[in-house]
Coordinates of all heavy atoms in Angstrom, one line a residue:
S32 N -31.1 -0.7 11.8 CA -32.2 -1.7 11.9 C -31.6 -3.1 12.4 O -32.3 -3.8 13.2 CB -32.9 -1.9 10.6 OG -32.0 -2.3 9.6
L33 N -30.4 -3.4 11.9 CA -29.8 -4.6 12.4 C -29.5 -4.6 13.9 O -29.9 -5.5 14.6 CB -28.5 -4.8 11.7 CG -27.5 -5.9 12.2 CD1 -28.1 -7.3 12.0 CD2 -26.2 -5.9 11.5
L34 N -29.0 -3.4 14.4 CA -28.8 -3.3 15.8 C -30.0 -3.4 16.6 O -30.1 -4.0 17.7 CB -28.1 -1.9 16.1 CG -27.8 -1.5 17.5 CD1 -27.0 -2.6 18.2 CD2 -27.2 -0.2 17.6
Q35 N -31.1 -2.8 16.2 CA -32.4 -2.8 16.9 C -32.9 -4.2 17.0 O -33.4 -4.6 18.1 CB -33.4 -1.9 16.2 CG -33.1 -0.4 16.3 CD -34.0 0.5 15.6 OE1 -35.1 0.0 15.2 NE2 -33.7 1.7 15.4
R36 N -32.8 -5.0 15.9 CA -33.3 -6.4 15.9 C -32.5 -7.2 16.9 O -33.0 -8.0 17.6 CB -33.3 -7.0 14.5 CG -34.5 -6.5 13.6 CD -34.5 -7.3 12.4 NE -35.7 -6.9 11.6 CZ -35.7 -5.9 10.7 NH1 -34.6 -5.2 10.5 NH2 -36.8 -5.7 10.0
V37 N -31.2 -7.1 16.8 CA -30.3 -7.9 17.6 C -30.5 -7.5 19.1 O -30.6 -8.4 20.0 CB -28.8 -7.7 17.2 CG1 -27.9 -8.4 18.2 CG2 -28.6 -8.3 15.8
S38 N -30.6 -6.2 19.4 CA -30.7 -5.7 20.8 C -32.1 -6.2 21.4 O -32.1 -6.6 22.5 CB -30.7 -4.2 20.8 OG -29.4 -3.7 20.4
F39 N -33.1 -6.2 20.5 CA -34.4 -6.7 21.0 C -34.3 -8.2 21.4 O -34.8 -8.6 22.5 CB -35.5 -6.5 20.0 CG -36.8 -7.1 20.3 CD1 -37.6 -6.5 21.3 CD2 -37.3 -8.2 19.7 CE1 -38.8 -7.0 21.7 CE2 -38.6 -8.7 20.1 CZ -39.3 -8.1 21.1
A40 N -33.7 -9.0 20.5 CA -33.6 -10.4 20.8 C -32.7 -10.7 22.1 O -33.0 -11.5 22.9 CB -33.0 -11.2 19.6
V41 N -31.6 -9.9 22.2 CA -30.7 -10.1 23.3 C -31.4 -9.7 24.6 O -31.3 -10.4 25.6 CB -29.4 -9.3 23.1 CG1 -28.6 -9.2 24.4 CG2 -28.6 -9.8 22.0
D42 N -32.2 -8.6 24.6 CA -32.9 -8.2 25.7 C -34.0 -9.2 26.2 O -34.2 -9.4 27.4 CB -33.7 -6.9 25.4 CG -34.4 -6.3 26.6 OD1 -33.8 -6.0 27.6 OD2 -35.6 -6.2 26.6
Q43 N -34.5 -10.0 25.2 CA -35.5 -11.0 25.5 C -34.8 -12.4 25.8 O -35.5 -13.4 26.0 CB -36.4 -11.2 24.4 CG -37.3 -9.9 24.1 CD -38.2 -9.6 25.2 OE1 -38.9 -10.5 25.7 NE2 -38.2 -8.3 25.6
K44 N -33.5 -12.4 25.9 CA -32.7 -13.6 26.1 C -33.0 -14.7 25.1 O -33.1 -15.9 25.3 CB -33.0 -14.2 27.5 CG -32.7 -13.3 28.7 CD -31.2 -13.0 28.8 CE -30.9 -12.4 30.2 NZ -31.5 -11.1 30.4
A45 N -33.2 -14.2 23.8 CA -33.5 -15.1 22.7 C -32.4 -15.1 21.7 O -31.2 -14.8 22.1 CB -34.8 -14.6 22.0
I46 N -32.7 -15.5 20.5 CA -31.6 -15.7 19.5 C -31.9 -14.8 18.3 O -33.1 -14.7 17.9 CB -31.6 -17.2 19.0 CG1 -31.3 -18.1 20.1 CG2 -30.6 -17.3 17.8 CD1 -31.4 -19.6 19.8
S47 N -30.9 -14.1 17.8 CA -31.0 -13.3 16.6 C -30.1 -13.9 15.5 O -29.0 -14.4 15.8 CB -30.5 -11.9 16.9 OG -30.6 -11.0 15.8
V48 N -30.6 -13.9 14.3 CA -29.9 -14.5 13.2 C -29.6 -13.4 12.2 O -30.5 -12.6 11.8 CB -30.8 -15.6 12.5 CG1 -30.1 -16.1 11.3 CG2 -31.1 -16.7 13.5
V49 N -28.3 -13.4 11.7 CA -27.9 -12.4 10.7 C -27.3 -13.2 9.6 O -26.4 -14.0 9.8 CB -26.8 -11.5 11.3 CG1 -26.4 -10.5 10.3 CG2 -27.4 -10.7 12.6
T50 N -27.8 -12.9 8.4 CA -27.3 -13.6 7.2 C -26.9 -12.6 6.1 O -27.2 -11.4 6.2 CB -28.3 -14.6 6.6 OG1 -29.5 -13.8 6.3 CG2 -28.7 -15.7 7.5
G51 N -26.1 -13.1 5.1 CA -25.7 -12.2 4.0 C -24.7 -13.0 3.1 O -24.2 -14.1 3.5
E52 N -24.6 -12.5 1.9 CA -23.7 -13.2 1.0 C -22.2 -13.0 1.4 O -21.9 -12.2 2.3 CB -23.8 -12.6 -0.4 CG -25.2 -12.9 -1.0 CD -25.2 -12.4 -2.5 OE1 -24.3 -12.7 -3.2 OE2 -26.2 -11.7 -2.8
V53 N -21.3 -13.8 0.8 CA -19.9 -13.6 1.1 C -19.5 -12.2 0.8 O -19.7 -11.7 -0.3 CB -19.1 -14.6 0.2 CG1 -17.6 -14.4 0.4 CG2 -19.5 -16.1 0.6
G54 N -18.8 -11.6 1.8 CA -18.3 -10.2 1.5 C -19.3 -9.1 1.7 O -19.0 -8.0 1.3
S55 N -20.5 -9.4 2.3 CA -21.5 -8.4 2.4 C -21.3 -7.5 3.7 O -22.1 -6.6 3.9 CB -22.9 -9.0 2.4 OG -23.0 -10.0 3.5
G56 N -20.3 -7.8 4.5 CA -20.0 -7.0 5.7 C -20.6 -7.6 7.0 O -20.8 -6.9 7.9
K57 N -20.8 -8.9 7.0 CA -21.4 -9.5 8.2 C -20.6 -9.4 9.4 O -21.0 -9.0 10.5 CB -21.7 -11.0 7.9 CG -22.7 -11.3 6.8 CD -23.1 -12.8 6.7 CE -21.9 -13.6 6.3 NZ -21.3 -13.3 5.0
S58 N -19.3 -9.8 9.3 CA -18.4 -9.7 10.4 C -18.2 -8.3 10.9 O -18.1 -8.0 12.1 CB -17.0 -10.4 10.1 OG -17.2 -11.7 9.8
T59 N -18.0 -7.4 10.0 CA -17.9 -6.0 10.4 C -19.1 -5.4 11.1 O -19.0 -4.7 12.1 CB -17.6 -5.1 9.1 OG1 -16.4 -5.6 8.5 CG2 -17.4 -3.6 9.5
S60 N -20.3 -5.8 10.6 CA -21.5 -5.4 11.2 C -21.6 -6.0 12.6 O -22.1 -5.4 13.6 CB -22.7 -5.9 10.4 OG -22.7 -5.2 9.1
L61 N -21.1 -7.3 12.8 CA -21.1 -7.9 14.1 C -20.2 -7.1 15.1 O -20.5 -6.9 16.3 CB -20.6 -9.3 14.0 CG -21.6 -10.4 13.7 CD1 -21.0 -11.8 13.9 CD2 -22.8 -10.3 14.6
R62 N -19.1 -6.6 14.6 CA -18.2 -5.8 15.4 C -18.9 -4.5 15.9 O -18.8 -4.1 17.0 CB -17.0 -5.4 14.6 CG -15.8 -6.4 14.7 CD -14.5 -5.7 14.4 NE -14.4 -5.0 13.1 CZ -13.9 -3.8 13.0 NH1 -13.5 -3.0 14.0 NH2 -13.9 -3.2 11.8
Y63 N -19.7 -3.9 15.0 CA -20.4 -2.7 15.3 C -21.5 -3.0 16.4 O -21.6 -2.3 17.4 CB -21.1 -2.2 14.1 CG -22.1 -1.1 14.4 CD1 -21.7 0.2 14.7 CD2 -23.5 -1.3 14.3 CE1 -22.6 1.2 15.0 CE2 -24.4 -0.3 14.6 CZ -24.0 0.9 14.9 OH -24.9 1.9 15.2
V64 N -22.2 -4.1 16.2 CA -23.3 -4.5 17.1 C -22.6 -4.8 18.5 O -23.1 -4.4 19.5 CB -24.1 -5.7 16.6 CG1 -25.0 -6.3 17.7 CG2 -24.9 -5.3 15.4
A65 N -21.5 -5.6 18.5 CA -20.9 -6.1 19.7 C -20.4 -4.9 20.5 O -20.4 -4.9 21.8 CB -19.8 -7.0 19.4
S66 N -20.0 -3.8 19.8 CA -19.4 -2.6 20.5 C -20.5 -1.9 21.3 O -20.1 -1.1 22.2 CB -18.8 -1.7 19.5 OG -19.8 -1.0 18.7
T67 N -21.7 -2.1 21.1 CA -22.8 -1.4 21.8 C -23.2 -2.1 23.1 O -23.9 -1.5 23.9 CB -24.1 -1.3 20.9 OG1 -24.6 -2.6 20.6 CG2 -23.7 -0.7 19.6
F68 N -22.7 -3.3 23.3 CA -23.0 -4.1 24.5 C -21.9 -3.8 25.5 O -20.8 -4.4 25.4 CB -23.2 -5.6 24.2 CG -24.4 -5.9 23.4 CD1 -24.2 -6.3 22.1 CD2 -25.6 -5.7 23.8 CE1 -25.2 -6.6 21.2 CE2 -26.7 -6.0 23.0 CZ -26.5 -6.4 21.7
H69 N -22.2 -3.0 26.5 CA -21.2 -2.5 27.5 C -20.7 -3.7 28.4 O -21.5 -4.5 28.8 CB -21.7 -1.4 28.4 CG -20.6 -0.6 29.0 ND1 -20.1 -1.0 30.3 CD2 -20.0 0.5 28.7 CE1 -19.2 -0.1 30.6 NE2 -19.1 0.8 29.7
S70 N -19.4 -3.7 28.7 CA -18.9 -4.8 29.5 C -19.4 -4.9 30.9 O -19.3 -5.9 31.5 CB -17.3 -4.7 29.5 OG -16.9 -3.5 30.0
S71 N -20.0 -3.8 31.4 CA -20.5 -3.8 32.7 C -21.9 -4.6 32.8 O -22.3 -5.0 33.8 CB -20.7 -2.4 33.2 OG -21.7 -1.7 32.4
E72 N -22.5 -4.8 31.6 CA -23.8 -5.4 31.5 C -23.7 -6.7 30.7 O -24.6 -7.6 30.9 CB -24.8 -4.5 30.8 CG -25.0 -3.2 31.5 CD -26.0 -2.3 30.8 OE1 -26.9 -2.9 30.1 OE2 -25.9 -1.1 30.9
Y73 N -22.7 -6.9 29.9 CA -22.7 -8.1 29.1 C -21.3 -8.7 29.1 O -20.3 -8.0 29.1 CB -23.1 -7.8 27.6 CG -24.5 -7.3 27.5 CD1 -24.8 -5.9 27.5 CD2 -25.5 -8.2 27.3 CE1 -26.1 -5.5 27.4 CE2 -26.8 -7.8 27.1 CZ -27.1 -6.4 27.2 OH -28.4 -6.0 27.1
E74 N -21.2 -10.0 29.1 CA -19.9 -10.7 28.9 C -20.0 -11.4 27.5 O -20.8 -12.4 27.4 CB -19.6 -11.7 30.0 CG -18.3 -12.4 29.8 CD -17.7 -13.0 31.1 OE1 -18.0 -12.5 32.2 OE2 -17.0 -14.0 31.0
L75 N -19.2 -10.9 26.6 CA -19.3 -11.5 25.2 C -18.5 -12.8 25.1 O -17.3 -12.8 25.5 CB -18.8 -10.4 24.2 CG -19.6 -9.1 24.2 CD1 -19.1 -8.3 23.0 CD2 -21.1 -9.3 24.1
I76 N -19.1 -13.7 24.5 CA -18.4 -15.0 24.1 C -18.4 -15.0 22.6 O -19.4 -15.4 22.0 CB -19.1 -16.2 24.7 CG1 -19.4 -16.0 26.2 CG2 -18.4 -17.5 24.4 CD1 -20.5 -16.8 26.8
S77 N -17.3 -14.6 22.0 CA -17.2 -14.5 20.5 C -16.5 -15.7 19.9 O -15.3 -15.9 20.3 CB -16.5 -13.2 20.1 OG -17.3 -12.1 20.6
L78 N -17.1 -16.4 19.1 CA -16.5 -17.6 18.5 C -16.7 -17.5 16.9 O -17.7 -16.9 16.5 CB -17.1 -18.9 19.0 CG -17.0 -19.1 20.5 CD1 -17.7 -20.4 20.9 CD2 -15.5 -19.2 21.0
V79 N -15.8 -18.2 16.2 CA -16.0 -18.4 14.8 C -16.3 -19.8 14.5 O -15.6 -20.7 15.0 CB -14.7 -17.9 14.0 CG1 -14.8 -18.2 12.5 CG2 -14.3 -16.5 14.3
G80 N -17.4 -20.0 13.7 CA -17.8 -21.4 13.4 C -16.8 -22.2 12.6 O -16.0 -21.6 11.9
G81 N -17.0 -23.5 12.6 CA -16.2 -24.4 11.8 C -16.9 -25.7 11.8 O -18.0 -25.9 12.3
N82 N -16.2 -26.7 11.2 CA -16.7 -28.0 11.1 C -16.6 -28.8 12.5 O -15.9 -29.8 12.5 CB -16.0 -28.8 10.0 CG -16.8 -30.1 9.6 OD1 -18.0 -30.2 9.8 ND2 -16.0 -31.0 9.2
Y83 N -17.1 -28.2 13.5 CA -16.9 -28.7 14.9 C -18.0 -29.7 15.3 O -19.1 -29.6 14.9 CB -16.9 -27.6 15.9 CG -16.1 -26.4 15.6 CD1 -16.6 -25.1 15.8 CD2 -14.8 -26.5 15.2 CE1 -15.8 -24.0 15.6 CE2 -14.0 -25.4 14.9 CZ -14.5 -24.1 15.1 OH -13.7 -23.0 14.9
S84 N -17.6 -30.6 16.1 CA -18.5 -31.5 16.8 C -19.0 -30.7 18.0 O -18.4 -29.7 18.4 CB -17.9 -32.8 17.3 OG -16.9 -32.5 18.3
P85 N -20.1 -31.1 18.6 CA -20.6 -30.4 19.9 C -19.5 -30.3 20.9 O -19.3 -29.3 21.6 CB -21.8 -31.2 20.3 CG -22.3 -31.8 19.0 CD -21.1 -32.1 18.2
M86 N -18.7 -31.4 21.1 CA -17.7 -31.4 22.1 C -16.6 -30.3 21.8 O -16.2 -29.6 22.7 CB -17.0 -32.8 22.1 CG -15.9 -32.9 23.1 SD -15.0 -34.5 23.1 CE -16.3 -35.5 23.7
E87 N -16.2 -30.2 20.5 CA -15.2 -29.2 20.2 C -15.7 -27.8 20.4 O -15.0 -26.9 20.8 CB -14.8 -29.4 18.7 CG -14.0 -30.7 18.5 CD -13.9 -31.0 17.0 OE1 -14.8 -30.7 16.2 OE2 -12.9 -31.7 16.6
L88 N -17.0 -27.6 20.1 CA -17.6 -26.2 20.4 C -17.6 -25.9 21.9 O -17.3 -24.8 22.3 CB -19.0 -26.1 19.8 CG -19.6 -24.7 20.0 CD1 -18.9 -23.7 19.2 CD2 -21.1 -24.8 19.6
Y89 N -18.0 -26.9 22.7 CA -18.0 -26.8 24.1 C -16.6 -26.4 24.7 O -16.5 -25.6 25.5 CB -18.6 -28.0 24.8 CG -20.0 -28.4 24.5 CD1 -20.4 -29.7 24.6 CD2 -20.9 -27.5 24.0 CE1 -21.7 -30.1 24.3 CE2 -22.2 -27.8 23.7 CZ -22.6 -29.1 23.8 OH -23.9 -29.5 23.5
R90 N -15.7 -27.1 24.1 CA -14.3 -26.8 24.5 C -13.9 -25.4 24.2 O -13.2 -24.7 25.0 CB -13.3 -27.8 23.9 CG -12.0 -27.9 24.6 CD -11.1 -29.0 24.0 NE -11.6 -30.3 24.2 CZ -11.5 -31.0 25.3 NH1 -10.9 -30.5 26.4 NH2 -12.1 -32.2 25.4
Q91 N -14.3 -24.9 23.0 CA -14.0 -23.5 22.7 C -14.6 -22.5 23.6 O -14.1 -21.5 24.0 CB -14.4 -23.3 21.2 CG -13.5 -23.9 20.2 CD -13.4 -23.1 18.9 OE1 -13.4 -21.9 18.9 NE2 -13.5 -23.8 17.8
I92 N -15.9 -22.8 24.0 CA -16.6 -21.9 24.9 C -15.8 -21.9 26.2 O -15.7 -20.8 26.8 CB -18.0 -22.4 25.1 CG1 -18.8 -22.2 23.8 CG2 -18.7 -21.6 26.2 CD1 -20.2 -22.7 23.8
L93 N -15.4 -23.1 26.7 CA -14.6 -23.1 28.0 C -13.3 -22.3 27.8 O -12.9 -21.6 28.8 CB -14.4 -24.6 28.3 CG -15.6 -25.4 28.8 CD1 -15.3 -26.8 28.9 CD2 -16.1 -24.8 30.2
F94 N -12.7 -22.5 26.7 CA -11.4 -21.7 26.5 C -11.7 -20.2 26.6 O -10.9 -19.4 27.1 CB -10.8 -22.0 25.1 CG -10.1 -23.3 25.0 CD1 -9.9 -24.0 23.8 CD2 -9.6 -24.0 26.2 CE1 -9.3 -25.2 23.7 CE2 -9.0 -25.2 26.1 CZ -8.8 -25.8 24.9
S95 N -12.9 -19.8 26.0 CA -13.2 -18.4 26.1 C -13.4 -17.9 27.5 O -13.3 -16.7 27.8 CB -14.5 -18.1 25.2 OG -15.6 -18.6 25.9
F96 N -13.8 -18.8 28.4 CA -13.9 -18.5 29.8 C -12.6 -18.6 30.6 O -12.5 -18.4 31.8 CB -14.9 -19.4 30.5 CG -16.3 -19.2 30.1 CD1 -17.2 -20.3 29.9 CD2 -16.9 -17.9 29.9 CE1 -18.5 -20.1 29.5 CE2 -18.2 -17.7 29.5 CZ -19.0 -18.8 29.3
G97 N -11.5 -19.0 29.8 CA -10.2 -19.2 30.5 C -10.1 -20.5 31.2 O -9.2 -20.7 32.0
L98 N -11.0 -21.5 30.8 CA -10.9 -22.8 31.4 C -10.4 -23.8 30.4 O -10.9 -23.9 29.3 CB -12.4 -23.2 31.9 CG -13.0 -22.3 32.9 CD1 -14.4 -22.7 33.2 CD2 -12.2 -22.3 34.2
N99 N -9.5 -24.7 30.9 CA -9.0 -25.8 30.1 C -9.5 -27.1 30.6 O -9.0 -27.6 31.6 CB -7.5 -25.8 30.1 CG -6.9 -26.8 29.1 OD1 -7.6 -27.4 28.3 ND2 -5.6 -26.9 29.1
C100 N -10.6 -27.6 30.0 CA -11.2 -28.8 30.5 C -10.5 -30.0 30.0 O -10.4 -30.2 28.8 CB -12.7 -28.8 30.1 SG -13.6 -30.3 30.8
L101 N -10.0 -30.9 30.9 CA -9.3 -32.0 30.4 C -10.2 -33.2 30.1 O -9.7 -34.2 29.6 CB -8.2 -32.4 31.5 CG -7.2 -31.3 31.8 CD1 -6.2 -31.8 32.9 CD2 -6.4 -31.0 30.6
S102 N -11.4 -33.1 30.6 CA -12.3 -34.2 30.4 C -12.8 -34.3 28.9 O -12.9 -33.3 28.2 CB -13.6 -34.0 31.3 OG -14.5 -35.0 31.0
F103 N -13.1 -35.5 28.5 CA -13.6 -35.8 27.1 C -15.1 -36.2 27.2 O -15.6 -36.6 26.2 CB -12.8 -36.8 26.4 CG -11.4 -36.4 25.9 CD1 -10.3 -36.5 26.8 CD2 -11.3 -35.8 24.7 CE1 -9.1 -36.0 26.3 CE2 -10.1 -35.3 24.3 CZ -8.9 -35.4 25.1
Q104 N -15.7 -35.9 28.4 CA -17.1 -36.3 28.5 C -17.9 -35.0 28.3 O -17.7 -34.0 29.0 CB -17.3 -36.8 29.9 CG -16.7 -38.2 30.2 CD -17.1 -38.7 31.5 OE1 -17.5 -38.0 32.4 NE2 -17.0 -40.0 31.7
V105 N -18.9 -35.1 27.4 CA -19.7 -34.0 27.1 C -20.5 -33.5 28.3 O -20.6 -32.3 28.5 CB -20.7 -34.3 25.9 CG1 -21.7 -33.2 25.8 CG2 -19.9 -34.5 24.6
S106 N -20.9 -34.4 29.1 CA -21.7 -34.0 30.3 C -20.9 -33.2 31.2 O -21.4 -32.2 31.9 CB -22.2 -35.3 31.0 OG -21.1 -36.1 31.4

Side-chain angles (χ1 to χ4, degrees):
S32 61
L33 170 64
L34 175 59
Q35 290 176 15
R36 284 190 173 88
V37 172
S38 298
F39 176 71
V41 170
D42 183 62
Q43 298 295 312
K44 300 292 194 298
I46 299 173
S47 182
V48 174
V49 180
T50 57
E52 293 186 50
V53 175
S55 59
K57 297 185 298 297
S58 297
T59 301
S60 298
L61 274 188
R62 274 205 301 133
Y63 170 74
V64 168
S66 71
T67 65
F68 295 109
H69 198 275
S70 59
S71 64
E72 299 179 28
Y73 297 91
E74 181 159 332
L75 302 188
I76 308 158
S77 300
L78 301 177
V79 178
N82 193 28
Y83 310 135
S84 66
M86 179 185 291
E87 291 167 330
L88 182 67
Y89 298 156
R90 197 175 296 280
Q91 286 209 42
I92 293 174
L93 288 169
F94 284 158
S95 73
F96 290 140
L98 300 175
N99 186 5
C100 183
L101 300 178
S102 174
F103 286 91
Q104 293 185 339
V105 170
S106 59

